Amino acid sequence: MLELARHMADAVPTRLVTFGERSREERVGSLDVRVIGSPWYVRGQRSNPVSGALVNEVRKAAVVHCHQQHVVASSLAAALGRVFRRRVFCTDLGGGGWDISAYVSTDRWFHGHLHISEYSRKVAGHAGRAWAHVIFGGVDTNRFSPDPAIARDAPILFVGRILPHKGINDFVDALEPGMRAEVIGPAPYAAYFEDLRDRARGKHVVFRTDCDDVALVEAYRRAACIVLPSVYRDIYGGETRVPELLGQTLLEGMACGTPAICTDVASLPEVVEHGQTGLVVPPNDPLALRAALKWILAHPQERAVMGERGRQRVLERFSWDAVVSACLRIYGVPAQSPVPAVTYARA
């Protein structure tokens, strides 16, 4: 949300409105940021703040873009948009709290819904709706970029939260002797993390739970490939209906010129073009994943071409410039317009 607002501010005057304990205003590059202090948390839900100060923010805006649908603040912004004749849009990134949308649909309260994938549009029940658009998600392609000086002789890489629905156990099981792997990300589920460490005994797997931003980019640049083996049904029998709305770590790796391997789950095939920018395999299938890993490692020239194509795909479709352009077109606001746009994000 912050990244979209920051890049939007390079095209049109933009104000990011959010909530916090204390009121403050600041400038982040070209972006104006307002934190509304001491909000009311609906039914005590910290993810559901709202304040009367939002009324004036909507009134002053030309366009309002809410980054959560099922919270009171977004429903209020949508209703106020009708009163003040302001265009209000929504991107639902999951989660939420108590809201009137639990009882009546608020879909058409907004002038449009901007989804980060076709899959997101589908699970929201918005497929085929003229007011539901796909803008995709963005990657900072300057920060995430290839470095020809770094040799790609490093391990196969997984980046993300170390959680069961990410299918990391299938990744570890797929590794053959001689394959080196690196798993980077926070591990909030201690039991699963320990299970993974047990499965990895005797294999060349390094777990890094405290990797900083600089080291992360270096890992992408060194990796032979980036892997995201997400599943709907995890190792413990748990079901995750929406495991991946986009697949951000795949995009970050691809932006660094790294080929990708993912499962045929949720939005992931929208990110990875099978045979072009990487390989797509069935979920819950370590043998299929192993075959894909072996192919990638055995074909360095094809791997390099896939990495180049992946970088180009990100530049064309998943860069922040591309996302901003798509938003402005849907907002009906020309680039470099003097009219302010507002992006709202919850605390």
Side-chain angles (χ1 to χ4, degrees):
M1 294 173 283
L2 174 60
E3 288 300 302
L4 174 57
R6 284 181 57 243
H7 288 83
M8 184 69 68
D10 291 335
V12 295
T14 301
R15 184 171 174 85
L16 174 65
V17 179
T18 185
F19 299 99
E21 295 306 316
R22 294 184 300 276
S23 295
R24 71 178 191 276
E25 295 200 23
E26 60 184 275
R27 186 91 170 172
V28 180
S30 303
L31 175 67
D32 286 324
V33 178
R34 182 189 178 187
V35 178
I36 298 174
S38 302
W40 173 52
Y41 294 99
V42 179
R43 296 192 173 183
Q45 298 167 345
R46 302 294 292 183
S47 62
N48 198 1
V50 69
S51 169
L54 194 60
V55 176
N56 199 42
E57 292 293 341
V58 174
R59 183 185 61 79
K60 293 188 298 184
V63 174
V64 180
H65 188 163
C66 302
H67 287 274
Q68 174 58 273
Q69 180 174 353
H70 303 293
V71 290
V72 170
S74 292
S75 294
L76 175 61
L80 291 170
R82 300 293 176 173
V83 172
F84 296 132
R85 297 185 179 181
R86 304 294 187 259
R87 292 171 62 76
V88 183
F89 297 85
C90 183
T91 295
D92 193 351
L93 299 176
W98 183 91
D99 181 48
I100 192 172
S101 58
Y103 307 98
V104 297
S105 174
T106 58
D107 284 355
R108 298 301 290 127
W109 291 24
F110 300 90
H111 291 82
H113 291 260
L114 281 60
H115 292 279
I116 61 173
S117 63
E118 290 285 356
Y119 174 75
S120 171
R121 178 161 63 174
K122 178 181 177 182
V123 297
H126 295 169
R129 304 289 188 177
W131 39 263
H133 313 270
V134 177
I135 58 170
F136 293 111
V139 175
D140 185 337
T141 53
N142 292 319
R143 176 182 166 208
F144 295 100
S145 59
D147 185 346
I150 296 178
R152 289 197 177 274
D153 57 356
I156 304 157
L157 181 64
F158 167 90
V159 176
R161 291 176 301 153
I162 300 175
L163 292 171
H165 77 269
K166 297 291 185 178
I168 310 163
N169 49 286
D170 290 332
F171 175 41
V172 172
D173 291 348
L175 298 171
E176 283 192 338
M179 290 182 180
R180 295 180 299 131
E182 197 166 42
V183 175
I184 295 177
Y189 190 164
Y192 182 58
F193 187 52
E194 287 306 311
D195 285 347
L196 290 177
R197 290 165 64 91
D198 287 342
R199 299 172 92 91
R201 294 191 192 283
K203 297 187 177 186
H204 297 287
V205 183
V206 175
F207 293 91
R208 301 170 64 187
T209 58
D210 58 353
C211 190
D212 63 24
D213 291 346
V214 173
L216 175 61
V217 173
E218 182 182 338
Y220 281 132
R221 289 171 172 170
R222 291 185 295 110
C225 66
I226 175 73
V227 178
L228 185 53
S230 298
V231 296
Y232 293 113
R233 186 176 181 83
D234 66 40
I235 188 175
Y236 306 117
E239 298 281 350
T240 302
R241 189 176 70 89
V242 185
E244 302 288 349
L245 282 177
L246 184 61
Q248 190 71 22
T249 60
L250 291 176
L251 292 172
E252 291 172 355
M254 290 164 60
C256 292
T258 306
I261 298 177
C262 70
T263 45
D264 186 10
V265 163
S267 62
L268 301 187
E270 296 179 53
V271 174
V272 181
E273 293 178 286
H274 181 70
Q276 297 297 311
T277 64
L279 300 173
V280 181
V281 300
N284 305 104
D285 192 339
L287 293 179
L289 182 54
R290 177 180 299 166
L293 293 173
K294 290 173 68 174
W295 190 94
I296 285 284
L297 294 175
H299 295 82
Q301 291 184 337
E302 291 89 341
R303 187 170 75 223
V305 172
M306 284 181 169
E308 292 171 1
R309 289 174 180 160
R311 167 76 177 173
Q312 188 59 38
R313 180 169 173 80
V314 171
L315 289 172
E316 292 173 357
R317 184 171 291 191
F318 299 100
S319 70
W320 280 118
D321 286 346
V323 175
V324 166
S325 294
C327 287
L328 290 175
R329 173 177 49 79
I330 296 163
Y331 295 161
V333 175
Q336 304 306 325
S337 167
V339 180
V342 170
T343 300
Y344 156 75
R346 67 175 174 83

